[in-house]
Amino acid sequence: DVKVTQSSRYLVKRTGEKVFLECVQDMDHENMFWYRQDPGLGLRLIYFSYDVKMKEKGDIPEGYSVSREKKERFSLILESASTNQTSMYLCASASGGSNQPQHFGDGTRLSIL
Amino acid sequence: GQSLEQPSEVTAVEGAIVQINCTYQTSGFYGLSWYQQHDGGAPTFLSYNALDGLEETGRFSSFLSRSDSYGYLLLQELQMKDSASYFCALPVAGRRALTFGSGTRLQVQP
């Protein structure tokens, strides 16, 4: 079974802090994704990566950056956290093209105070 | 751009059949996927349709009509454990990413 592990289930940070969310997958997938999920808005794509050191902006990249130094690890960085970034963050991985299923982690519920 | 529309909530009774609709707008079509998410859980893949017609996987089926830009997820013999949110999703043109609908919350009642 594919395992996508997010480093924290719950996280509380303060406004202005630099926040790191980590995600690791164990199935050698080339594609990895970060989404945020808010009530009534579904899942919105922040950034994705299709190879080591490669990244592409999603629909809502403002205020975020990412890092992919190793194939199995994809990090989401909030450069200076703000209260409007309080949300559920979901990481996913997938192989091949966009017709392949995405495998999700359990999510990190991030609160910015 | 792309957009998907789904009803926000659907309620059905145990043992019944329910259909969750999804209409979409996209400049290039590369298939329609469905995901299930239980409260507090991770989304899990259910099905993918690239061609018109019905795809069946056990109690769940997914239908696609490309000419109508429409698809649906059909759940038969509903069980209480089917209470969850269901999302339709489109591949983003030229990318290996998905655009998700806002989700349909299914409540199964005894």
Side-chain angles (χ1 to χ4, degrees), chain B residues 20-92:
Chain B
I20 298 173
N21 298 319
C22 174
T23 56
Y24 60 84
Q25 288 187 318
T26 181
S27 55
F29 182 78
Y30 302 94
L32 185 70
S33 299
W34 288 91
Y35 286 76
Q36 177 193 58
Q37 185 182 29
H38 288 99
D39 283 348
T44 56
F45 173 79
L46 290 176
S47 67
Y48 171 79
N49 295 69
L51 302 175
D52 292 350
L54 194 66
E55 296 273 349
E56 298 182 57
T57 310
R59 294 188 298 112
F60 291 9
S61 303
S62 55
F63 172 84
L64 176 67
S65 169
R66 289 174 293 173
S67 60
D68 295 321
S69 298
Y70 164 74
Y72 64 74
L73 184 68
L74 192 72
L75 295 81
Q76 302 182 71
E77 300 171 20
L78 279 174
Q79 302 176 10
M80 297 299 292
K81 67 178 181 180
D82 297 329
S83 292
S85 292
Y86 293 85
F87 297 88
C88 54
L90 284 174
V92 179

Side-chain angles (χ1 to χ4, degrees), chain B residues 87-102:
Chain B
F87 297 88
C88 54
L90 284 174
V92 179
R95 295 171 155 185
R96 304 181 192 183
L98 293 173
T99 298
F100 284 83
S102 55

Side-chain angles (χ1 to χ4, degrees), chain A residues 25-86:
Chain A
Q25 52 98 0
D26 66 358
M27 283 303 292
D28 203 36
H29 286 163
E30 58 266 37
N31 306 310
M32 295 189 74
F33 311 87
W34 276 105
Y35 297 90
R36 64 177 280 177
Q37 184 173 25
D38 300 288
L41 297 177
L43 285 75
R44 292 181 292 167
L45 181 67
I46 304 172
Y47 266 97
F48 67 102
S49 168
Y50 52 89
D51 201 352
V52 175
K53 297 192 187 295
M54 304 300 289
K55 60 185 179 184
E56 281 204 31
K57 292 180 180 179
D59 299 319
I60 51 165
E62 296 78 20
Y64 303 96
S65 63
V66 290
S67 172
R68 190 149 181 219
E69 296 296 319
K70 293 185 177 181
K71 191 174 185 179
E72 67 270 19
R73 186 178 296 271
F74 193 35
S75 303
L76 180 69
I77 303 156
L78 285 67
E79 297 291 343
S80 178
S82 64
T83 55
N84 63 11
Q85 293 178 308
T86 291

